[in-house]
Amino acid sequence: MTSKVASMRDAVAELVRDGDTVAIEGFTHLICFAAGHEIIRQRRRELTLCRMTPDVIYDQMVGAGVARKLVFSWLGNPGVGSLHAVRRRIERADPEPLEIEEYSHFGMVCRYVAGASRLPFFPIRSYFESDLPGANPNIVPIESPYGDDALYAVPPLRPDVTVVHAQRADASGNAQIWGLVGCQKEAAFAAERVIVVCEELVDESVIRSDPNRTVVPGLIVDAVVVEPRGCHPSFAQGYYDRDNRFYLDWDAIGRDPEAFDAWLKEWVYGLESHADYVEKLGEQRWAALQPGEAWSEPVNYGTYD
Amino acid sequence: MTSKVASMRDAVAELVRDGDTVAIEGFTHLICFAAGHEIIRQRRRELTLCRMTPDVIYDQMVGAGVARKLVFSWLGNPGVGSLHAVRRRIERADPEPLEIEEYSHFGMVCRYVAGASRLPFFPIRSYFESDLPGANPNIVPIESPYGDDALYAVPPLRPDVTVVHAQRADASGNAQIWGLVGCQKEAAFAAERVIVVCEELVDESVIRSDPNRTVVPGLIVDAVVVEPRGCHPSFAQGYYDRDNRFYLDWDAIGRDPEAFDAWLKEWVYGLESHADYVEKLGEQRWAALQPGEAWSEPVNYGTYD
Amino acid sequence: MDEMGDYTATEMMIVASARLLAGERVCFVGVGPPNIACNLAKRTVSPELELIYEAGVFGAVPARLPLSIGDPTLVTGSLQVTNMFELFSYFLAGGLVDVAFLGASQIDRFGNINTTVIGDYAKPKVRLPGSGGACEIAINAKKVFVIMPQSKRSFVEKIDFVTSPGHLGGDRPAHWPGSGPSDVVTGLGTYTFDPQTGEMTLATLHPGVTLDEVVANTGWEPKVADGLTETPAPTGEELRLVREELDPEGAYTR
Amino acid sequence: MDEMGDYTATEMMIVASARLLAGERVCFVGVGPPNIACNLAKRTVSPELELIYEAGVFGAVPARLPLSIGDPTLVTGSLQVTNMFELFSYFLAGGLVDVAFLGASQIDRFGNINTTVIGDYAKPKVRLPGSGGACEIAINAKKVFVIMPQSKRSFVEKIDFVTSPGHLGGDRPAHWPGSGPSDVVTGLGTYTFDPQTGEMTLATLHPGVTLDEVVANTGWEPKVADGLTETPAPTGEELRLVREELDPEGAYTR
């Protein structure tokens, strides 16, 4: 098969366009900061950014001015507090307004499922007597055709581009993930274009040794970017730990617009690539994030001929 | 945790009751014939049997008189032809009528998803201009709340009992499956009671070594039955091959009511348990079904303390 | 069985079906002749073809010919196994399938398909398997190829039950996700569908088959293409691949 | 911070919350104090308690206290990891959750919860995180425990935004899957809800806290149980478990 391997620079340049709806998913796990930084570096504009939990990556992207709108279900720095750059734009239009479209987690997940399934809506048992449907007219009541059971519907979400970070992938984009799997599969199938970023590029035979582990098939993938440690300060199960210190430190950085700009200048604009970021962070920091070993018991698929 | 391990006899005696709606799922793979045979042996009556593909197991059960009704989406002996005992009851009420409720595969799968999610209906993009909704009034048209997009809805399916056969499970019922996974997870979550049958009872630590591989959590499991080779003539990936010869031979047996009764007498009523069936089948037959080895590449989950 | 020169009718059907896959990218496939056709196409006209098996397998590399739609040889060494919900929701309804093969017990001139019953639904003369995934495949696959034996009993004026919609009465709605059957391959010839009327049109006759034979085995007055030609016979290489690599035991082809 | 005798207000909240879990089977849990409470309950009043983490993990055995709701230590050695669709659909909406913990920035006397905004939604004074899974948890978990700090700013007559419904105006429909908040634990005391009126009712005062303090920190005239008692202080063993095993670095409790 044809290799889809590309540099992050080329993948973003080719596949992420001004005005796009972009999902860089991952529920605390495998959040591809490297892709976010490259989008900032290439100064994309007017993006609609979608994530269940915008996390620090979207605080950085929103603060850097790439986004016109945010679609989300939980807006915070997990375990720490607020996303201050996002809050500045929402609360004070500082430096410019930010449009928001807000759901609950269940709603966001089901929007991706509907997008992936080409369903015009998805029914869920949530939102009863909540003010969320009032705040977001896309959340509408719906009746069951079998009786008076009332639910709410959410509309499909079909990103122009979804970025999925995987522990391992082959050159065609068949990608395997373990640990928290969030809604990456659904977000990928829902998207028009998919960028797979991986910790390790592996031979197709590794993928084929365990087909039940494949989350994203190469069939729907447009580019494969090999970017080890590309999730920092998020984590990659079995590869590096969550850098909680970074998340804690971000609170003060995000709170202060000058510190925010200085951080971006130093860690994004001032660097050529994520490889530079990895090097700049330093081996001591990486060593502290190195997990021990806990290997899965292998399974036999058998040969049949 | 408390062990839920039970014999097949005790599990069926306690958990499968006359009049129950029963799903023994598995898409060609991991069909638990051992459970079906024990239900026949215990002479359960008036069951509603649900499966996407009733397969030979339901031909045997329907012919043995355990079922009042069949819920399905594809009624055949895969790759061979008809399920003759089922056909006799549908076509000629021979020896008694059989009620049927018929969907397509997509419809059946989404009925389990709705059952597992406690959704009153599930919308799917199928059945347009088909005669199926006319034949089954439970398939009804539904409109999207966002526009004039028309779909069909199917109702939830909530079995009283679902039987899931897994390659390995622990004593609490945490069950892992690889190879074709069909709709077992959905059918299990949709059910009131769940029987997990396994090829191998493993220590909890084996399950915990690869939590992404777990299909059914012990949380929803009522009994764990250890029944090696319990799927014959269906297969268990990596453990034994599909016995195509049996499926081919079944055509003549199922076609002839006397041969059918003689088979049941010899292979079900005449035996005490599935262990007897395994022995009676003979080591030569089992040797021919033994696959070679093709092990998955293990993955590192890492330790974090 | 059905010898035609030095190849069988089924071999002709498989070879003709495989050739239809030239230029296609993603094919949804069951077992039997369509499986052989797809794997023949990958070795001849369509090496980049990606196969999705209805059992939930993407990128299978079967080491033998499966009897059943689900078989362990489809799984070992494949690229992805997926559950049935995701298979039908994300792969099929999601719009990834360019072409799917369907069989039929009855078909009408508009490509509507019956695999449910012969006779009345409530009291059938013959109870057939039913839809399986066929109904949603017929609606969601971008196009459909039908492979089936042809006779007056299978090519009928009015099918007993519409399991899977084709071109309806020639008025299949343009907003449906898929465009319906584009080709039918039988033991007698190949058919396309008139883009205006949705009517099945005889496009080629297999070598040795006459138009009279087709008329005698069609339950309506069949429409015939202006440029009716002969189906090119299987090449030696096509036959070698089918016989030596794809169905060495002749389970489907002899 | 908030020293009360030889334990902190947060330690009292965690211990009181853990005791509520006696007899419960399946708990849906986030991180922070509820996580410590659940793991304390497993070591004390509720050894059979099964935990489902919102990140999609069942049967976790965390080797350390996670900062974030998603952490690799929740995954390694757990019994099952599931995707978000199945977590919310099958575990939560499917009705498997007996009790879930929720936090709140504002709560009213009927247990309705705001975690969305302070001020107007379109022009908020403070933009809070929003629902996350709270809205569907509040509707689908069989019951809900709320843990939150108490002040006139958080215990308010009218919340600025209903993120997650509690007992509405006392008329929460009986046909909803879950029965709503059953208990609230704050730094001052514990509350239950009147089964008739759905109104929050002060049940116990933490040691050293006066009724006047509660009144001064409640935005309405609080209802007080006839048999108002004192929350039993944390035992030495409970404090030892919290301090030595569950939060040895005192991230949440000191």
Side-chain angles (χ1 to χ4, degrees):
Chain A
M1 297 191 204
T2 327
S3 168
K4 297 172 186 167
V5 176
S7 67
M8 183 67 86
R9 181 181 297 180
D10 289 349
V12 166
E14 190 187 338
L15 296 167
V16 183
R17 300 158 198 168
D18 285 352
D20 272 358
T21 296
V22 176
I24 303 177
E25 268 297 349
F27 194 85
T28 72
H29 183 214
L30 294 173
I31 304 172
C32 192
F33 276 72
H37 292 171
E38 185 59 29
I39 289 170
I40 294 172
R41 206 152 28 224
Q42 295 194 19
R43 297 178 195 273
R44 285 289 167 286
R45 289 295 179 263
E46 298 288 314
L47 302 182
T48 293
L49 295 178
C50 311
R51 262 183 69 80
M52 292 174 68
T53 58
D55 207 276
V56 164
I57 184 59
Y58 279 9
D59 204 40
Q60 294 172 351
M61 293 172 78
V62 163
V66 307
R68 173 181 75 74
K69 181 176 173 180
L70 195 60
V71 182
F72 68 94
S73 48
W74 192 84
L75 188 68
N77 178 342
V80 178
S82 289
L83 300 175
H84 297 286
V86 172
R87 279 185 58 185
R88 278 195 291 280
R89 286 186 60 179
I90 295 177
E91 294 171 6
R92 305 200 303 269
D94 170 17
E96 54 182 337
L98 180 70
E99 195 182 336
I100 62 170
E101 185 179 336
E102 179 170 10
Y103 297 85
S104 63
H105 278 350
F106 199 9
M108 274 293 280
V109 170
C110 292
R111 294 195 65 201
Y112 286 124
V113 173
S117 311
R118 215 164 37 178
L119 278 174
F121 71 98
F122 203 94
I124 67 173
R125 206 179 272 283
S126 188
Y127 301 124
F128 305 166
E129 302 293 336
S130 165
D131 284 339
L132 278 163
N136 179 351
N138 288 335
I139 305 171
V140 299
I142 183 172
E143 297 276 321
S144 164
Y146 300 109
D148 56 1
D149 217 338
L151 302 166
Y152 277 83
V154 292
L157 176 50
R158 303 209 67 178
D160 295 302
V161 192
T162 289
V163 178
V164 172
H165 195 106
Q167 279 106 328
R168 64 190 186 196
D170 68 19
S172 304
N174 297 290
Q176 299 190 329
I177 290 178
W178 53 100
L180 304 177
V181 286
C183 60
Q184 281 97 310
K185 186 178 205 168
E186 295 71 23
F189 274 95
E192 189 63 34
R193 304 184 287 278
V194 176
I195 300 174
V196 161
V197 187
C198 60
E199 289 296 316
E200 292 191 79
L201 187 72
V202 296
D203 190 81
E204 197 179 285
S205 63
V206 174
I207 302 295
R208 290 188 183 276
S209 82
D210 199 357
N212 285 95
R213 182 117 36 215
T214 306
V215 169
V216 175
L219 186 61
I220 60 169
V221 174
D222 297 277
V224 177
V225 177
V226 187
E227 200 72 275
R229 299 173 167 175
C231 297
H232 179 272
S234 170
F235 61 105
Q237 190 86 33
Y239 288 74
Y240 43 92
D241 199 352
R242 191 169 193 271
D243 192 347
N244 289 327
R245 186 180 126 201
F246 185 98
Y247 279 94
L248 290 162
D249 291 348
W250 184 256
D251 190 63
I253 299 167
R255 199 183 287 273
D256 171 2
E258 282 182 31
F260 180 98
D261 288 343
W263 188 91
L264 272 195
K265 195 170 166 193
E266 180 176 357
W267 289 91
V268 180
Y269 294 121
L271 303 176
E272 291 281 311
S273 69
H274 191 72
D276 290 355
Y277 175 102
V278 168
E279 194 187 332
K280 182 173 165 66
L281 203 64
E283 271 312 313
Q284 202 181 344
R285 184 80 167 248
W286 286 112
L289 299 174
Q290 182 65 40
E293 293 188 15
W295 293 89
S296 63
E297 291 278 340
V299 302
N300 182 23
Y301 279 89
T303 56
Y304 302 87
D305 33 44
Chain B
M1 297 191 205
T2 328
S3 168
K4 297 172 185 164
V5 175
S7 67
M8 184 67 87
R9 181 181 296 179
D10 290 349
V12 167
E14 189 187 338
L15 296 167
V16 183
R17 299 157 198 168
D18 285 353
D20 272 358
T21 296
V22 177
I24 304 176
E25 269 296 347
F27 195 86
T28 73
H29 181 214
L30 293 174
I31 303 173
C32 191
F33 276 71
H37 291 171
E38 184 59 30
I39 289 170
I40 294 172
R41 208 153 27 225
Q42 296 193 17
R43 297 179 193 275
R44 286 288 168 286
R45 287 296 177 266
E46 298 287 315
L47 302 182
T48 294
L49 295 178
C50 311
R51 264 184 67 80
M52 292 174 67
T53 59
D55 206 275
V56 164
I57 184 59
Y58 279 9
D59 204 40
Q60 294 173 351
M61 293 172 78
V62 163
V66 307
R68 176 182 74 73
K69 182 175 174 182
L70 195 59
V71 181
F72 68 94
S73 47
W74 192 84
L75 189 67
N77 178 342
V80 177
S82 288
L83 300 177
H84 297 287
V86 172
R87 279 186 57 185
R88 279 195 292 279
R89 288 186 60 180
I90 295 176
E91 293 170 7
R92 308 199 302 268
D94 172 13
E96 53 182 337
L98 180 70
E99 195 183 333
I100 62 169
E101 185 179 337
E102 180 169 9
Y103 297 84
S104 62
H105 278 350
F106 199 8
M108 274 295 279
V109 171
C110 291
R111 293 194 66 201
Y112 285 124
V113 173
S117 312
R118 218 161 38 174
L119 276 175
F121 72 98
F122 202 94
I124 68 174
R125 206 179 272 283
S126 188
Y127 302 124
F128 306 165
E129 301 294 335
S130 166
D131 285 340
L132 278 164
N136 179 353
N138 288 334
I139 304 171
V140 298
I142 184 172
E143 297 277 319
S144 165
Y146 301 109
D148 57 0
D149 216 339
L151 304 166
Y152 276 84
V154 292
L157 177 50
R158 303 209 65 176
D160 294 303
V161 193
T162 289
V163 178
V164 172
H165 196 106
Q167 279 107 330
R168 66 189 184 195
D170 67 20
S172 305
N174 297 292
Q176 300 190 329
I177 291 178
W178 55 99
L180 304 177
V181 286
C183 58
Q184 281 98 310
K185 185 179 207 168
E186 295 71 23
F189 275 95
E192 188 65 33
R193 303 184 287 278
V194 176
I195 300 174
V196 161
V197 187
C198 60
E199 290 296 316
E200 293 192 78
L201 186 72
V202 296
D203 190 80
E204 198 180 283
S205 63
V206 174
I207 304 295
R208 290 189 184 277
S209 83
D210 200 356
N212 284 94
R213 181 107 51 206
T214 306
V215 169
V216 175
L219 187 62
I220 61 169
V221 174
D222 296 278
V224 178
V225 177
V226 187
E227 199 72 274
R229 298 173 167 176
C231 296
H232 179 272
S234 171
F235 60 105
Q237 189 86 34
Y239 288 74
Y240 43 92
D241 199 354
R242 192 170 192 271
D243 191 346
N244 288 328
R245 186 179 127 202
F246 185 99
Y247 279 93
L248 291 161
D249 289 349
W250 184 256
D251 192 63
I253 299 167
R255 199 183 287 271
D256 172 1
E258 282 181 33
F260 181 97
D261 289 342
W263 189 91
L264 271 194
K265 196 172 165 193
E266 179 177 357
W267 289 91
V268 180
Y269 295 121
L271 302 176
E272 292 281 310
S273 69
H274 191 72
D276 289 356
Y277 175 102
V278 168
E279 193 187 332
K280 184 173 162 67
L281 204 64
E283 270 313 313
Q284 203 180 342
R285 185 79 166 250
W286 285 111
L289 299 174
Q290 182 63 43
E293 294 187 13
W295 293 89
S296 64
E297 292 277 341
V299 302
N300 182 22
Y301 279 89
T303 55
Y304 301 88
D305 32 41
Chain C
M1 343 142 77
D2 250 338
E3 287 291 336
M4 299 169 84
D6 57 352
Y7 52 88
T8 67
T10 306
E11 284 172 338
M12 183 70 253
M13 285 169 73
I14 287 168
V15 166
S17 301
R19 293 171 185 158
L20 289 174
L21 289 164
E24 301 296 340
R25 180 162 169 250
V26 182
C27 180
F28 195 90
V29 62
V31 293
N35 178 47
I36 305 175
C38 289
N39 284 291
L40 177 59
K42 275 182 81 81
R43 286 165 170 79
T44 54
V45 294
S46 197
E48 299 294 316
L49 191 68
E50 311 239 38
L51 300 184
I52 300 169
Y53 283 85
E54 193 180 12
V57 183
F58 168 67
V61 283
R64 67 180 185 205
L65 189 66
L67 174 71
S68 159
I69 191 139
D71 190 284
T73 196
L74 295 175
V75 169
T76 301
S78 67
L79 289 169
Q80 182 174 33
V81 176
T82 191
N83 69 32
M84 285 284 131
F85 177 67
E86 295 173 352
L87 178 82
F88 282 103
S89 293
Y90 304 166
F91 285 86
L92 181 63
L96 297 179
V97 174
D98 293 322
V99 58
F101 280 97
L102 291 179
S105 298
Q106 291 183 328
I107 193 168
D108 67 19
R109 73 175 71 198
F110 295 111
N112 301 299
I113 286 173
N114 174 21
T115 54
T116 302
V117 286
I118 302 300
D120 179 58
Y121 183 78
K123 289 190 78 67
K125 194 162 150 257
V126 181
R127 174 65 228 198
L128 302 166
S131 166
C135 181
E136 39 267 3
I137 290 168
I139 289 164
N140 289 284
K142 286 183 193 141
K143 65 183 173 190
V144 167
F145 296 159
V146 182
I147 307 191
M148 62 186 295
Q150 179 171 354
S151 74
K152 269 225 152 87
R153 296 205 317 193
S154 64
F155 270 52
V156 296
E157 179 66 34
K158 184 169 169 21
I159 61 180
D160 293 357
F161 189 97
V162 181
T163 311
S164 308
H167 297 287
L168 309 181
D171 54 347
R172 182 181 171 109
H175 67 265
W176 285 15
S179 60
S182 65
D183 296 86
V184 179
V185 178
T186 76
L188 301 181
T190 70
Y191 300 80
T192 57
F193 288 83
D194 184 302
Q196 306 306 313
T197 66
E199 190 178 345
M200 203 191 295
T201 307
L202 180 68
T204 72
L205 288 169
H206 294 334
V209 177
T210 66
L211 187 53
D212 283 350
E213 273 180 87
V214 168
V215 172
N217 285 287
T218 306
W220 64 88
E221 186 70 42
K223 193 175 167 195
V224 179
D226 288 346
L228 179 67
T229 57
E230 186 176 274
T231 318
T235 66
E237 174 63 4
E238 286 167 334
L239 288 173
R240 188 194 65 75
L241 285 165
V242 169
R243 292 170 184 176
E244 294 178 18
E245 295 188 16
L246 299 169
D247 185 16
E249 296 177 23
Y252 290 99
T253 48
R254 279 195 290 278
Chain D
M1 351 143 65
D2 251 339
E3 287 292 335
M4 301 167 83
D6 58 351
Y7 51 88
T8 66
T10 305
E11 284 171 340
M12 180 72 252
M13 286 169 73
I14 287 168
V15 166
S17 302
R19 292 171 185 157
L20 290 174
L21 289 165
E24 300 296 340
R25 184 163 166 249
V26 182
C27 180
F28 194 90
V29 61
V31 293
N35 178 46
I36 304 175
C38 289
N39 283 292
L40 177 59
K42 273 182 84 82
R43 286 166 170 77
T44 54
V45 295
S46 197
E48 298 294 316
L49 191 68
E50 310 240 37
L51 301 184
I52 300 168
Y53 282 86
E54 193 179 14
V57 183
F58 168 67
V61 283
R64 67 178 184 204
L65 188 66
L67 173 71
S68 158
I69 191 138
D71 189 284
T73 196
L74 296 175
V75 170
T76 301
S78 67
L79 288 168
Q80 184 174 32
V81 175
T82 192
N83 69 32
M84 286 283 132
F85 177 66
E86 294 173 351
L87 178 81
F88 282 103
S89 294
Y90 303 168
F91 285 86
L92 181 62
L96 297 178
V97 174
D98 293 321
V99 58
F101 280 97
L102 290 180
S105 299
Q106 291 182 329
I107 194 169
D108 67 19
R109 72 174 72 196
F110 295 110
N112 300 300
I113 286 173
N114 174 22
T115 54
T116 301
V117 285
I118 302 299
D120 180 57
Y121 183 79
K123 287 191 79 68
K125 194 160 150 260
V126 181
R127 173 65 226 199
L128 302 165
S131 165
C135 181
E136 39 267 2
I137 290 168
I139 288 163
N140 289 285
K142 285 183 195 139
K143 65 183 174 192
V144 166
F145 296 159
V146 182
I147 307 192
M148 62 185 295
Q150 180 171 353
S151 73
K152 269 224 152 90
R153 296 205 316 195
S154 63
F155 269 52
V156 295
E157 179 66 34
K158 185 169 171 21
I159 61 180
D160 292 358
F161 190 95
V162 181
T163 312
S164 307
H167 297 289
L168 309 180
D171 55 345
R172 182 180 171 110
H175 68 264
W176 284 16
S179 59
S182 65
D183 297 85
V184 179
V185 178
T186 76
L188 303 180
T190 70
Y191 300 79
T192 57
F193 287 84
D194 185 301
Q196 305 307 313
T197 64
E199 190 178 344
M200 202 192 295
T201 307
L202 180 67
T204 71
L205 287 169
H206 294 334
V209 176
T210 65
L211 186 56
D212 282 351
E213 273 180 86
V214 168
V215 171
N217 285 287
T218 306
W220 66 87
E221 185 69 41
K223 194 175 167 198
V224 180
D226 289 343
L228 179 68
T229 56
E230 186 176 274
T231 319
T235 66
E237 175 63 6
E238 286 167 334
L239 288 174
R240 189 192 67 74
L241 286 165
V242 169
R243 290 172 184 175
E244 293 178 18
E245 294 188 16
L246 299 169
D247 187 15
E249 295 178 23
Y252 290 99
T253 48
R254 280 193 289 276

